[in-house]
């Protein structure tokens, strides 16, 4: 099984980690892109930006593009 490195903001990671009951997280991008680089259910390893540290891991569920009105 192939996994993917995903850089993430250390402050966002700390915020999410502080929520004890969290079972899933959402990541967003300021500009829409046709995001097909990671297949559904692929393992993700979260690398904290600016550091050589793995913050955690998870599984990619899906990419959904929403308009600002949704």
């Amino acid at each position: 099984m192939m996994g993917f490195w995903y850089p993430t903001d250390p402050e966002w990671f700390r915020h999410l980690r502080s929520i004890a009951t969290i079972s899933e997280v959402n990541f967003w991008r300021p500009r829409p892109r046709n995001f097909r680089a990671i297949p559904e259910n692929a393992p993700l390893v979260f690398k904290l930006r600016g550091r050589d540290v793995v913050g955690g891991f998870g599984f990619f569920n899906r990419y959904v593009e929403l308009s600002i009105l949704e």
Side-chain angles (χ1 to χ4, degrees):
M1 180 181 280
M2 191 167 146
F4 296 86
W5 289 98
Y6 195 88
T8 192
D9 179 72
E11 293 301 317
W12 181 241
F13 173 78
R14 276 195 274 289
H15 169 71
L16 293 173
R17 190 174 182 188
S18 72
I19 305 169
T21 60
I22 200 164
S23 65
E24 66 180 54
V25 295
N26 295 309
F27 290 87
W28 63 275
R29 295 173 175 254
R31 287 176 226 91
R33 292 185 188 176
N34 195 358
F35 190 79
R36 299 183 198 274
I38 302 175
E40 288 186 5
N41 301 315
L44 287 177
V45 177
F46 296 99
K47 180 187 177 295
L48 302 185
R49 267 194 200 117
R51 303 176 184 161
D52 268 341
V53 176
V54 171
F57 68 93
F59 294 93
F60 179 76
N61 186 272
R62 69 181 178 271
Y63 171 81
V64 178
E65 198 170 298
L66 301 172
S67 75
I68 196 162
L69 300 175
E70 292 184 62

